[in-house]
Amino acid sequence: QVQLVESGGGSVQAGGSLTLSCSASGYTDSTYLAGWFREAQDKGREAVAAIDTDGGTAYADSVKDRFTISKDRAKNILYLQMNSLKPEDTAMYYCAATLHDYNAIMTLGIMRDDPNFGVWGQGTQVTVSS
C-alpha cells in the first residue's frame, strides 16, 4: 500500500515562500501521486493543486499564480512551491494519491468533494503570520 510523507512546512511571514515535498513509497502502477489539499481550523477541506500524468495542472482560485505543483516522476516526489504566502494560507497541507488516472481538473474536484478519494499522508503544517 502506498505511503505518503509530507515535509517542508513551517512558519513564515506574509509574503514569504515555502516548498512542500511529498515522498511516496510502496508506489504501484494503480496509484497516482496527484495533488495537495489543505485543512484549516474551523474550515473544511480545500483542494489546492493537482497534476496529472500528462503534466497538466489545476489550481484553486485562491492560490492561482502563487502556488506551483510539480512532480519528479523518477523519484516519486510531489512538490508544492508556495510564493507570496498570506495568513489565509495557514493550514495543514496534505499530499494525495488517487486510485485512478484522472486529469488535473477532475482530481481537484475529487479531492474537494469525495472524502474517500484515495490516499493521503499525515500532513505538514504551514503557518503564515501577518
Side-chain angles (χ1 to χ4, degrees), residues 8-14 17-18 85 125-129:
S11 297
V12 296
Q13 290 190 327
S17 299
L18 284 173
L85 283 161
Q125 178 68 38
V126 172
T127 302
V128 185
S129 58

Side-chain angles (χ1 to χ4, degrees), residues 6 14 17 37 41-42 47 58 60 66 74 79 84 91 102 104 121 125 128-129:
E6 302 93 339
S17 299
F37 67 89
Q41 196 170 8
D42 300 327
R66 298 189 298 122
Y79 299 99
S84 303
Y102 302 111
Q125 178 68 38
V128 185
S129 58

Side-chain angles (χ1 to χ4, degrees), residues 8-43:
S11 297
V12 296
Q13 290 190 327
S17 299
L18 284 173
T19 299
L20 307 183
S21 300
C22 173
S23 297
S25 61
Y27 197 77
T28 70
D29 289 340
S30 60
T31 306
Y32 302 90
L33 200 56
W36 294 87
F37 67 89
R38 64 189 181 188
E39 293 183 351
Q41 196 170 8
D42 300 327
K43 295 183 181 179

Side-chain angles (χ1 to χ4, degrees), residues 61-62 103 107 116 130:
D61 288 343
S62 59
N103 67 43
T107 297
N116 299 306
S130 57

Side-chain angles (χ1 to χ4, degrees), residues 46-127:
E46 180 183 16
V48 173
I51 187 167
D52 57 40
T53 53
D54 292 328
T57 58
Y59 298 91
D61 288 343
S62 59
V63 307
K64 201 171 293 183
D65 299 326
R66 298 189 298 122
F67 290 12
T68 302
I69 188 172
S70 61
K71 186 190 310 184
D72 184 328
R73 299 178 192 281
K75 297 181 179 179
N76 289 335
I77 300 176
L78 191 68
Y79 299 99
L80 185 67
Q81 172 68 42
M82 306 185 295
N83 298 325
S84 303
L85 283 161
K86 304 175 181 180
E88 50 264 44
D89 294 319
T90 295
M92 186 72 80
Y93 283 72
Y94 300 86
C95 76
T98 59
L99 304 180
H100 301 282
D101 186 15
Y102 302 111
N103 67 43
I105 294 174
M106 288 184 65
T107 297
L108 207 63
I110 288 167
M111 286 195 294
R112 179 191 63 224
D113 299 334
D114 184 354
N116 299 306
F117 69 88
V119 181
W120 50 90
Q122 295 297 310
T124 186
Q125 178 68 38
V126 172
T127 302

